[in-house]
Amino acid sequence: MTMPKGLKLVERDAGGVDPAFRADVLIGLAQPQKAVPARWFYDDAGSALFEAITRLPEYYLTRAETAILERSAGKMAALIGPGRAVVEFGSGSSLKTPLLLASIAPAAYVPIDISGDFLRASAAALAAKFPGLPVHPVEADFMRRVELPGEVAGLPKLGFFPGSTIGNFVPATATDLLRTMRAALGEGALLLIGVDLVKDRRALLCAYDDAEGVTAAFNRNLLSRINRELEGDIPVDRFAHQARWNDAYARIEMHLAAQEDLAFSVSGKRFAMRRGETIHTENSHKFTRRSAGLLLAAGGWEPRACWYDPARRFAVLLAEACPPRSAP
């Protein structure tokens, strides 16, 4: 078996840095409420830390979604049908992907991830598990329109977006992303998407602030990446990880809180923070079936089916990119 090298669509400047990363950090740190988009967590170290998070006892999301894929794969396959190119957005280590691929007889697999080395390693591992399946990794930021490899152009598509990653985005951005996915996959495509559900506040907070401190290390790694790639001198050890429940927006928020008055530089620009001031690093919105369906509809997808884990903590929805129509 020959493992395709895939496509590399992430732009880099002369220093090897994604200019979008630099722009997001500099703009975000200049705001009254400092913030850096969560997608920049996932350098190689961040991706490895997130995989460790998925194995923590407090982090139920991965286990719940895996249980759904194991229990309901046959019903999913009956609705999806064989012969589709599976396009996974933000594939990471693709741990759940074999459960899907083994059940639906796909024609090809296209993992898309911004962390190139991590992407290629996980794509090679998956290709070894499915030696007859063409695998075409694409190193890209899926927040932008991604041109899929020519090898899958004529195939019907199934988008795969597990992990409730859609919950990381505010509704306007999530809607834009779903529309971008629809444009990339084409009319008639299907989308299998995982969403975390609204539940007890204590369970939610524990999932994002584990006893071992792995989530805290994951959060702080963003600062380490800024220092390494953007010539920063942020004192990482003077920031504390915080997880908060925002009931008005039905979301967990992750912040990095300054433990004292601080001054630092990034890419030659100076910034200051007062003690207690935070950098907002992630949102994790939680859904009901209705709110998830409404979000999908706003993004151009019609919900077709929904499956839950036994404890009804998590849901996986199947949606279709149907032709737009006017009301009603």
Side-chain angles (χ1 to χ4, degrees):
M1 178 197 67
T2 300
M3 179 63 205
K5 293 182 179 179
L7 298 176
K8 187 172 182 177
L9 303 177
V10 177
E11 298 178 0
R12 307 285 180 184
D13 62 19
V17 176
D18 186 338
F21 176 42
R22 189 188 305 274
D24 278 350
V25 169
L26 294 179
I27 292 170
L29 292 179
Q31 302 303 311
Q33 169 58 72
K34 292 174 170 53
V36 178
R39 69 178 180 275
W40 301 117
F41 278 133
Y42 299 99
D43 62 351
D44 288 346
S47 295
L49 282 166
F50 181 73
E51 294 308 321
I53 288 171
T54 66
R55 297 188 290 271
L56 293 169
E58 298 95 333
Y59 196 81
Y60 60 86
L61 289 83
T62 302
R63 292 188 299 276
E65 189 171 33
T66 300
I68 295 170
L69 292 170
E70 289 173 340
R71 289 163 54 94
S72 303
K75 294 178 181 178
M76 293 177 184
L79 293 174
I80 293 168
R84 290 183 180 266
V86 176
V87 180
E88 184 171 0
F89 297 91
S91 56
S93 66
S94 305
L95 288 175
K96 301 163 197 161
T97 313
L99 298 171
L100 176 65
L101 298 182
S103 66
I104 65 169
Y109 173 58
V110 182
I112 302 171
D113 203 273
I114 199 169
S115 180
D117 291 342
F118 202 77
L119 166 72
R120 285 180 284 275
S122 59
L126 192 138
K129 290 182 180 179
F130 297 88
L133 179 67
V135 178
H136 308 285
V138 178
E139 182 182 351
D141 180 358
F142 63 75
M143 293 299 297
R144 309 172 192 170
R145 171 71 181 270
V146 177
E147 295 298 330
L148 300 180
E151 293 89 340
V152 302
L155 296 173
K157 312 294 192 302
L158 169 69
F160 187 39
F161 199 37
S164 199
T165 305
I166 194 66
N168 292 150
F169 308 105
V170 297
T173 306
T175 301
D176 288 343
L177 175 57
L178 289 167
R179 289 173 178 168
T180 298
M181 290 177 173
R182 190 188 189 285
L185 298 174
E187 195 168 296
L190 297 176
L191 177 66
L192 195 65
I193 183 170
V195 296
D196 194 20
L197 302 176
V198 174
K199 60 182 64 66
D200 178 74
R201 181 182 305 188
R202 288 172 297 176
L204 289 169
L205 289 171
C206 286
Y208 294 86
D209 193 11
D210 62 278
E212 293 182 34
V214 182
T215 310
F218 173 70
N219 203 3
R220 290 194 192 94
N221 181 68
L222 177 59
L223 302 181
S224 298
R225 180 183 184 185
I226 292 170
N227 284 346
R228 184 177 64 254
E229 297 187 24
L230 302 181
E231 301 158 343
D233 59 6
I234 302 171
V236 178
D237 61 349
R238 297 180 192 175
F239 283 85
H241 166 71
Q242 292 183 353
R244 307 173 180 174
W245 172 249
N246 186 327
D247 195 62
Y249 294 105
R251 72 191 186 198
I252 290 284
E253 296 178 358
M254 291 208 320
H255 292 254
L256 289 163
Q259 298 302 284
E260 57 188 77
D261 293 352
L262 299 171
F264 54 85
S265 64
V266 176
S267 294
K269 296 187 179 295
R270 296 292 293 172
F271 301 95
M273 296 180 66
R274 304 288 294 176
R275 182 175 182 231
E277 190 178 355
T278 71
I279 303 171
H280 188 171
T281 55
E282 185 180 53
N283 294 314
S284 294
H285 291 84
K286 308 306 172 185
F287 299 90
T288 64
R289 180 172 179 176
R290 286 181 177 177
S291 65
L294 183 60
L295 180 63
L296 285 166
W301 297 90
E302 275 195 38
R304 292 293 187 229
C306 181
W307 298 272
Y308 300 96
D309 70 296
R312 296 182 78 88
R313 298 169 296 178
F314 199 95
V316 174
L317 290 88
L318 182 68
E320 183 177 0
C322 295
R325 62 189 180 94
S326 59

